[in-house]
Amino acid sequence: MSTVLSNFATWKHFLADRVSQAKKIGMTEETISSLAYEIGTFLDEKVDPKNEEERVLKQLWDAGDEAERKTLACLMVKLVQKS
């Protein structure tokens, strides 16, 4: 996991692949966003940011309440779908 997180572009590509796989097996957008929120929570608690982009995301995550964090997770999913 740390290799994937060392470069933000690599992380976005990794996340885009996982979102694509989830859609192929029939997961809904709501389920994918919920999983993204869980991943964000895990990363916040267990992983130190490896680059500037991750530091900004962590600061935004830490500043937000639960609803705002869920929005941020949803936006990350949308971001990688457009990449």
Side-chain angles (χ1 to χ4, degrees):
M1 176 70 82
S2 67
T3 303
V4 171
L5 294 173
S6 62
N7 178 289
F8 193 66
T10 304
W11 166 244
K12 286 188 342 183
H13 181 73
F14 175 82
L15 186 56
D17 284 347
R18 299 296 111 22
V19 170
S20 178
Q21 290 173 354
K23 284 184 165 193
K24 285 179 184 174
I25 64 169
M27 285 186 160
T28 66
E29 291 287 331
E30 184 177 328
T31 300
I32 293 169
S33 290
S34 178
L35 288 170
Y37 172 76
E38 290 179 30
I39 291 167
T41 299
F42 171 81
L43 292 173
D44 178 54
E45 294 172 358
K46 306 287 184 189
V47 179
D48 290 326
K50 304 290 186 232
N51 53 58
E52 287 301 313
E53 295 91 344
E54 289 174 12
R55 279 191 263 300
V56 169
L57 286 172
K58 177 159 179 39
Q59 289 173 342
L60 289 169
W61 189 271
D62 290 344
D65 60 21
E66 182 179 356
E68 291 164 330
R69 290 174 178 178
K70 287 181 178 181
T71 298
L72 185 57
C74 182
L75 288 170
M76 280 299 298
V77 170
K78 286 183 178 187
L79 174 69
V80 299
Q81 288 176 324
K82 293 181 185 228
S83 297

